[in-house]
Every structure is written in C-alpha cells, then in structure tokens.
Amino acid sequence: MNTLKPRILLVEDTPEIALWLGTALRQGGMEVTFATDGLQADVCLQAGHGMDAVLLDLQLPGQDGLAVLQALRARGDTVPVLILTARASVPDRVLGLNMGADDYLPKPFDLSELEARLQVLLRRQGKSKVASLRSGPLEMEPDSAAVWVHGQPLALTKREAAALRVLLESPQRAVSKEHLHAQVFADDSAGLEAVEVLIYRLRKKLETAEPLAEGASGVAITTFRGLGYMLTPVAAQV
C-alpha cells in the first residue's frame, strides 16, 4: 500500500457514480476505498480506519448518511467529511453541517469543483501530495489540478485548469499564445483563436472570485501585446 497517497472513503450506492468518482480520484493520485451502504460505511470508519477524508452520500440503504456522520462524530473522530447528495435544500445543508460535516456539495456537481473542495479539506489535514503552485491568493494542486482563490474552491474545466497551470509554472514571464495552444490543444484541431476564448473565460472566473477579507489583493491574467499572457497581482481595493 502506498501510504503517501491520501486515503479516501467513497460512500455511494449508485454503481455508475461510484465508478466515475473512484476512477477520477485514483487518477488524481488518491487511494479509494468504497462503501455501498451506511452499515458498511460505519464499519469502515471504526477506530483506526486511517482515512484522510470521506465523501458521503446521504441517501443510503441500511443506514442513511446523516446517521453515519452522527455516529462518527460521537466517537470523537474528526476526519473531514464532504457530503454529496441530491438533498439540496437549505435546511438539509444546515442539518448536515451542524452534525459535523466539513463541506456540502449538491448533486449534480462538476468534477473539478469536487476535486477542489476535497483538496481544501486534505490541505487542512496536511495530506496534499505535493507543494501547490501559487500566485498571490491563487493556488493549484499540481497532482489533481484542484484550484482555489482566497481559500475558496474555483471550478474550472480541464482545459482552463491546464492553461492556468502553464501560467503558474511561468512566474513573472509571459507565455505565448502558441505555447499555450501546444500545451492545451495538442490533440485538437482548434486554431489559435481557441486560446483567446479560453483565456477570456479563465480571466472572468478569476475576476469574479470573491476575497474573504476586505482589502485583500487579487490576481489577474494580463495580456502583453506580442509576448503573450502572464499572471499579475491586483492591488487591494482601499
């Protein structure tokens, strides 16, 4: 067993969803254990389980997810729990969080957002595999492409994340449109204009990321004519 990999318990009774998530998490460098009902999950989470985080569905056969969560916290176990459920109402979210969940993601969800939220939980536990790439308040986990700004997850498509990684790996240096195209669209027939569209979308997402504190600095993608694109700091608003 590779103990350097974060260990995730995925509690999901729908086989298709479990397979999809399990495959994605393993590709992201994590070790995944599956539980298909609440009773099995409770057994997996007994003392000494060694899990680094739990992805917990609420609507489970045998014993529902809230009961699993309640029993876990009653044992004094503080392992991070991210709830995944179709119950998207505010009272349900509040109930889950009040019972000890660390985060809540309603179905259907974007895989990149799930990965970003999970990496935030793992980072709090010191379980991220490698040092993150940084530019001001912007961070990326290289092994999973999870991204957050001001400590909050930022949902990106795979190509947006790939482009952002190229920019983060070239600090204080402009990256040409041609290089971005080669890195992001290598297996695609898209032209150079696709890079402009991609950067536009990525720039907008960075602009709308809200700082947690008033006066916090930001980060933006700046275009340098004839040279390319570069991540640059944005001064705090006074």
Side-chain angles (χ1 to χ4, degrees):
M1 182 183 298
N2 184 355
T3 57
L4 294 179
K5 294 182 178 181
R7 297 189 62 192
I8 309 299
L9 176 64
L10 174 56
V11 188
E12 172 60 62
D13 66 321
T14 304
E16 295 81 4
I17 296 177
L19 177 61
W20 170 60
L21 285 179
T23 300
L25 293 172
R26 284 170 172 163
Q27 288 176 344
M30 301 182 193
E31 181 181 319
V32 183
T33 299
F34 295 91
T36 57
D37 61 53
L39 296 175
Q40 185 181 9
D42 191 60
V43 171
C44 290
L45 289 171
Q46 292 301 311
H49 57 74
M51 298 297 168
D52 297 311
V54 181
L55 299 181
L56 178 64
D57 189 23
L58 290 188
Q59 296 175 307
L60 297 168
Q63 183 176 328
D64 71 20
L66 287 179
V68 173
L69 176 62
Q70 186 176 34
L72 180 72
R73 296 307 188 222
R75 293 192 290 271
D77 196 319
T78 59
V79 62
V81 175
L82 172 57
I83 289 179
L84 307 174
T85 181
R87 301 181 192 173
S89 69
V90 172
D92 282 326
R93 292 201 298 271
V94 171
L95 179 60
L97 293 171
N98 284 342
M99 291 181 67
D102 296 89
D103 204 350
Y104 197 111
L105 192 59
K107 298 177 181 178
F109 51 82
D110 185 89
L111 181 58
S112 62
E113 182 176 6
L114 168 65
E115 291 175 333
R117 288 174 179 267
L118 181 57
Q119 284 294 337
V120 168
L121 297 182
L122 291 172
R123 187 163 61 102
R124 290 175 187 169
Q125 302 296 311
K127 296 295 183 177
S128 290
K129 250 176 60 175
V130 295
S132 60
L133 298 169
R134 297 172 180 262
S135 179
L138 172 66
E139 298 179 57
M140 170 182 276
E141 288 288 345
D143 56 350
S144 69
V147 176
W148 54 92
V149 182
H150 303 291
Q152 298 300 303
L154 183 67
L156 300 178
T157 66
K158 288 185 178 181
R159 281 181 173 160
E160 288 168 352
L164 183 60
R165 177 169 183 162
V166 174
L167 294 174
L168 282 166
E169 289 176 338
S170 303
Q172 301 180 342
R173 180 162 52 91
V175 179
S176 70
K177 187 186 301 182
E178 292 77 11
H179 182 66
L180 277 168
H181 185 274
Q183 295 296 312
V184 180
F185 295 95
D187 301 323
D188 197 295
S189 59
L192 283 176
E193 65 277 4
V195 175
E196 297 176 6
V197 174
L198 187 64
I199 291 296
Y200 173 82
R201 295 204 311 258
L202 187 53
R203 181 179 281 144
K204 287 298 181 183
K205 288 188 177 182
L206 290 176
E207 288 175 355
T208 56
E210 292 292 334
L212 292 180
E214 185 178 351
S217 60
V219 64
I221 300 175
T222 301
T223 301
F224 292 88
R225 189 176 299 277
L227 296 175
Y229 307 98
M230 185 170 67
L231 289 169
T232 56
V234 176
Q237 296 293 325
V238 179

